[in-house]
Amino acid sequence: MRQRSTTGSTARTGIPNRARRFGPRGRAGATAALAVLAVTTAAGCRAEATGSAPAARPSSPRATASDDGRSSPPPSPTTPAPPSPSSSPPSSSPTATTSPTPKPDPQGKTLMSSGSQGGQVRELQARLRQIGHFDRSPTGYYGTVTVAAVQSFQGKRGLSRTGRTDTLTWQKLLGMTHRPTATELNPPTTRPVAKPDKRCLTGRVLCISKNSRTLSWMIDGRVLSSMDVRFGSQYTPTREGTFSVYWKSRHHVSTIYDTPMPYAMFFSGGQAVHYSADFAARGYNGASHGCVNVRDEGKIASLFDQVKTGDKVVVY
């Protein structure tokens, strides 16, 4: 019976009975043994219940590289980044932009401007000529010369120098001038007509003088009409001599220079008498490529209808 008790005591406490019998030294040895047993248990694998799955380890978010190359945790997907103190809050709705309403021109509506042509332009030029702002015969074409004349008039009257004939400019001009006469609207030429060459005194002749820069349409020594003309430059001179009109082309366009040559009357190769918008606009500041330019479209149109193929042309 005593032996069974001792065995049971050992099983319950895990301390041999010998330690109990030997007093404090025995208890000290038993404590050391328990410490060794605890270390051994902690170093081993943790016990798992049979048939249970291993517990999942919580995953931590992967570190991301920051702008300066150091590793930094990613921002929380549910927490928006705070706005920068210097940034302004977004607008709740786009601001509608409205274009300013253009202010009306204080000088009124534009009546004529560069490129305009017709009877009113001719009247404008005649009135400007009356008071010394237009130094040539009216052409009916609003070119650079007319723009400069209008600017000169506007500057003298304290108006904006736009070069366009607006309502106020036109009213001031009407108040300072009289209605142009037929001669003022359609003067024969801007310069005196030269005495005709003797070759021009018989038959139907286009008598063209380089000295006076005029063309006279003559029949049997009588002048029917005259007009200003312009000639070729020194590099492309207009040929002189006696010729005849061999071809007429009302709406001709140059195949060499790709420029319009209305009312063309050819007399020597590619040289012809024709209307020139450039001559009407710039006057004698330019030159032709050998043709005889006319700047009065009304006069050249009338001449074109009268001249016949075979009529004489004299250039001197």
Side-chain angles (χ1 to χ4, degrees), residues 159-219:
L159 304 176
S160 298
R161 294 169 53 89
T162 63
R164 301 187 301 272
T165 303
D166 48 61
T167 305
L168 184 57
T169 300
W170 182 243
Q171 289 175 349
K172 284 188 175 292
L173 181 61
L174 292 180
M176 298 180 61
T177 57
H178 62 265
R179 182 182 294 275
T181 64
T183 302
E184 287 177 325
L185 290 172
N186 296 280
T189 60
T190 58
R191 55 194 74 239
V193 178
K195 181 180 179 179
D197 185 88
K198 62 181 182 180
R199 292 169 291 179
C200 301
L201 300 178
T202 58
R204 299 165 57 91
V205 188
L206 292 173
C207 192
I208 303 170
S209 169
K210 283 189 173 181
N211 291 331
S212 65
R213 294 191 283 192
T214 59
L215 179 155
S216 294
W217 168 231
M218 303 178 64
I219 298 180

Side-chain angles (χ1 to χ4, degrees), residues 27-47:
R27 286 195 297 270
T31 301
L34 287 174
V36 172
L37 178 62
V39 172
T40 305
T41 304
C45 296
R46 192 174 67 177

Side-chain angles (χ1 to χ4, degrees), residues 34-182:
L34 287 174
V36 172
L37 178 62
V39 172
T40 305
T41 304
C45 296
R46 192 174 67 177
E48 300 283 351
T50 303
S52 63
R57 296 184 179 179
S59 60
S60 59
R62 182 176 300 176
T64 58
S66 62
D67 291 339
D68 61 358
R70 292 191 297 270
S71 186
S72 62
S76 172
T78 58
T79 305
S84 173
S86 60
S87 62
S88 59
S91 176
S92 58
S93 60
T95 303
T97 57
T98 58
S99 57
T101 304
K103 297 181 180 180
D105 191 333
Q107 295 187 184
K109 178 183 177 182
T110 298
L111 304 177
M112 293 169 278
S113 60
S114 181
S116 301
Q117 52 186 327
Q120 191 177 22
V121 176
R122 185 179 293 273
E123 181 182 353
L124 167 70
Q125 294 167 335
R127 288 180 180 272
L128 289 170
R129 190 179 187 186
Q130 290 176 10
I131 53 178
H133 289 282
F134 193 76
D135 61 354
R136 61 196 61 194
S137 294
T139 63
Y141 181 82
Y142 206 120
T144 56
V145 175
T146 305
V147 169
V150 173
Q151 287 176 331
S152 174
F153 174 78
Q154 289 172 329
K156 290 284 186 178
R157 302 302 174 269
L159 304 176
S160 298
R161 294 169 53 89
T162 63
R164 301 187 301 272
T165 303
D166 48 61
T167 305
L168 184 57
T169 300
W170 182 243
Q171 289 175 349
K172 284 188 175 292
L173 181 61
L174 292 180
M176 298 180 61
T177 57
H178 62 265
R179 182 182 294 275
T181 64

